[in-house]
Amino acid sequence: MAGENVSFPNTFVLLGFSEYPWLQIPLFAVVLVSHILTITGNSSIILLSMMEPRLQTPMYFFLDNLSLLDLCVTCTTVPQLLANLWGPEKTISSWGCITQAYLFHWTGCTECVLLAVMALDRYVAICHPLRYSLIMHPWACVCMAAACWSSGLANSLLQATLILQLPLCGRHTLDHFFCEVPALNKLACGDTTINDFSLILGAIPFALMSPVTVIVSYTLIGRAVMKLPSAEGRHKALSTCSSHLVVVTMYFGPAIYMYLQPPASSTQAKFMSFFYCVITPLLNPLIYTLRNKDVKAAWKKILPLPAEYSAKARCPPSMRRDNQSSLGDPLADFILVGVSDRPWLELPLFVVLLVAYILAMLGNISIILVSRLDPQLHSPMYIFLSHLSFLDLCYTTTTVPQILLNTGSSKKTISYGGCTVQYAIFHWLGCTECIVLAAMALDRYVAICEPLRYAIIMHRPLCQQLVAVAWLSGLGNSLVQVVLTVQLPFCGRQVLNNFFCEVPAMIKLSCADTTVNDTTLAVLVAFFVLVPLALILLSYGFIARAVLRIQSSKGRHKALGTCSSHLVVVSLFYLPAIYMYLQPPSRYSQEQGKFISLFYSIITPTLNPFIYTLRNKDVKGALRRLLARICRL
């Protein structure tokens, strides 16, 4: 009997995200837009490097290979994912599955080695600049790229050969959204020791040796940079490496988690795979474009800035003041530059923001509704969560409609009054969210460290008082900032290099002494950012100590599982806020600042409901019950 069933089935069933039926249509829209942007972005980098003579260097040769790999990764996995999300059919042919696993493994291993080679290129450029052209000559670069592709191919052939010999005994359901080697190994009914061992052994040179090479290269780079006498020289040297470091972190982090730990749960594995199949290839061209002056200069040569915004953005302040009064007209409209200096980015950004805005609205409204309608969610944790969702709704509604209007049309202006209201509300919401996140950490501390007294300590009146303190303290801080900011003279300066009106951008626009504003902003924001963050870290320090005393690993996992979503949300919120508001004003870059502002005004509110939903059984159960009630109606 067993011998009849050991061959590969004709088709495999890819479960994908079918356990989250409410997620499939929104996810289809996100994946489709991401796929289009990934193909556009990576193809553009390849074409740009071929067309622009200044980009025909070893660094951009390797970047072309990276873009080609990202194109291969997405074209290998995403079309099948889109087909499964859109229709009821969730199958893939057996040879299509093997081909997909083979191509994905090939491109993945190749990218590991290529990222190490790119780090070596940066090491030679910074530590041996006079010998750079001798060491990194064209033939050497071609040989290194060929070594990357051929080593990835060899490892992929080994894994594919071993997979074809696995007995599956009629099993053909993969709890994944594409065919991947670890998922196929788990499907086998025979002994997979050889497969597991070869997978780990094959992953060591790619997922361990490559990161070690990167770390060693950047350690030597860091040592060389520290020896440079001028701060400007150090900044210039490090800026050539920052994009690559971000890409390396985004790629190797999930890869190490997936391949070099004991077999993870299917749900975690497929969401981790989704990150490096869809998100990483999408972000790579944006990271290299936004941080790279050579690439931006090449884009400007091909797609020049529209004359009306180019003239206004480049016009020196002294020339603008010639036609303005000494204090300017405080009621004049402000021009929000946004990405008008990158016209090719406006349409893709409009589509991404529109989809993200719709998802943020649907996700946060759903969280609020289930928290109110489901009796099982009438607890302190979900009181705070519903307020967090309401804050995220207000965040996006305050900023995104204006960004969509400016990005989707030739009009890039906002009235003085509208600008003032926007940064007043935005600052209010930001400070309130800091306190709410600290209150949520306190709630988790009491639930885990004082479970028997939880109902007594975290009673409803106390929760309402904590929420009221959060909203009122945020309002008070916002009023102080607004009063100080509206008194600033702008001397005719009307061009804000941002997507929306924000206090730091308004202070930078002023032509007067802003010491009082800068000091007040730094002191108050330090209080609202650092004090709540210290309380959160302290709470989780006590939680970790209590969890380590729990005897069973299942109990420890359950305790930590209730905190993981909150920790992710805290990281997504606080890291951009600290970078934006708690660095010296002289180092504040509007170019970086406006994209960081975009992150925490739209990306974070969009991700929050998904983070709490995907990791929380109570919320998932409540959503299912709510959907069942709606269907019965």
Side-chain angles (χ1 to χ4, degrees), residues 51-52 57 83 110 135 163 258 318 376 411 502 530 545:
M51 294 169 60
E52 176 58 48
T57 63
T110 302
I135 299 172
I163 287 172
M258 274 289 294
S318 59
Q376 293 186 28
K411 184 182 178 183
E502 198 176 11
L530 294 183
R545 190 175 68 176

Side-chain angles (χ1 to χ4, degrees), residues 148-161:
C148 296
W149 287 91
S150 56
S151 60
L153 175 63
N155 190 29
S156 178
L157 285 172
L158 172 64
Q159 299 302 332
T161 303

Side-chain angles (χ1 to χ4, degrees), residues 219-241:
T219 302
L220 296 174
I221 288 170
R223 191 176 66 176
V225 167
M226 290 300 106
K227 294 178 181 178
L228 295 175
S230 68
E232 184 180 354
R234 291 195 295 270
H235 182 268
K236 184 177 179 181
L238 290 174
S239 65
T240 63
C241 308

Side-chain angles (χ1 to χ4, degrees), residues 186 200 256-265 268-269:
K186 289 176 70 175
I200 294 171
I256 290 171
Y257 180 88
M258 274 289 294
Y259 288 93
L260 293 180
Q261 65 162 359
S265 72
Q268 289 182 1

Side-chain angles (χ1 to χ4, degrees), residues 49-324:
S49 299
M50 294 171 64
M51 294 169 60
E52 176 58 48
R54 289 176 58 189
L55 301 186
Q56 291 171 6
T57 63
M59 176 181 169
Y60 296 104
F61 172 74
F62 295 129
L63 181 57
D64 288 346
N65 278 268
L66 181 65
S67 294
L68 180 60
L69 283 166
D70 285 339
L71 283 173
C72 294
V73 168
T74 53
C75 292
T76 301
T77 57
V78 174
Q80 182 68 46
L81 172 61
L82 289 171
N84 289 359
L85 287 172
W86 182 254
E89 190 73 19
K90 311 288 184 185
T91 58
I92 183 174
S93 67
S94 59
W95 282 107
C97 184
I98 293 298
T99 303
Q100 192 177 63
Y102 161 72
L103 290 175
F104 183 79
H105 209 75
W106 179 14
T107 53
C109 294
T110 302
E111 188 158 342
C112 289
V113 184
L114 183 65
L115 289 170
V117 169
M118 293 175 77
L120 178 64
D121 171 74
R122 290 299 84 209
Y123 161 72
V124 177
I126 293 172
C127 299
H128 300 281
L130 299 179
R131 300 171 59 200
Y132 180 69
S133 58
L134 294 174
I135 299 172
M136 301 300 293
H137 55 84
W139 182 242
C141 295
V142 170
C143 290
M144 284 190 280
C148 296
W149 287 91
S150 56
S151 60
L153 175 63
N155 190 29
S156 178
L157 285 172
L158 172 64
Q159 299 302 332
T161 303
L162 290 172
I163 287 172
L164 286 171
Q165 298 176 20
L166 284 175
L168 300 182
C169 306
R171 299 181 185 179
H172 60 278
T173 302
L174 277 166
D175 190 9
H176 216 297
F177 64 89
F178 71 98
C179 294
E180 195 176 18
V181 173
L184 287 168
N185 282 348
K186 289 176 70 175
L187 206 63
C189 59
D191 184 15
T192 61
T193 305
I194 295 175
N195 296 73
D196 293 334
F197 180 74
S198 67
L199 183 64
I200 294 171
L201 195 64
I204 287 172
F206 294 99
L208 278 185
M209 295 302 294
S210 293
V212 167
T213 304
V214 173
I215 291 168
V216 171
S217 298
Y218 278 106
T219 302
L220 296 174
I221 288 170
R223 191 176 66 176
V225 167
M226 290 300 106
K227 294 178 181 178
L228 295 175
S230 68
E232 184 180 354
R234 291 195 295 270
H235 182 268
K236 184 177 179 181
L238 290 174
S239 65
T240 63
C241 308
S242 57
S243 301
H244 183 244
L245 278 172
V246 173
V247 170
V248 164
T249 304
M250 284 177 18
Y251 183 79
F252 280 113
I256 290 171
Y257 180 88
M258 274 289 294
Y259 288 93
L260 293 180
Q261 65 162 359
S265 72
S266 298
T267 303
Q268 289 182 1
K270 64 186 174 186
F271 279 104
M272 197 65 68
S273 301
F274 180 82
F275 182 85
Y276 61 72
C277 288
V278 179
I279 306 301
T280 303
L282 167 66
L283 294 178
N284 283 357
L286 293 176
I287 291 166
Y288 279 106
T289 303
L290 298 175
R291 298 280 301 174
N292 193 302
K293 291 180 180 178
D294 293 334
V295 176
K296 288 192 282 188
W299 273 121
K300 286 174 184 175
K301 286 175 67 176
I302 298 173
L303 298 169
L305 181 64
E308 54 181 314
Y309 295 108
S310 178
K312 286 174 181 175
R314 296 175 191 157
C315 180
S318 59
M319 291 181 64
R320 292 192 209 119
R321 284 199 285 268
D322 289 343
N323 298 320
Q324 300 288 342

Side-chain angles (χ1 to χ4, degrees), residues 444 448 543 547 550 552-564 615 617-618:
R444 291 300 82 208
I448 294 173
I543 288 170
V547 167
I550 298 174
S552 68
S553 59
K554 185 178 179 181
R556 288 196 297 270
H557 184 270
K558 184 179 178 181
L560 289 174
T562 63
C563 305
S564 57
R615 300 281 299 176
K617 293 180 181 179
D618 294 334

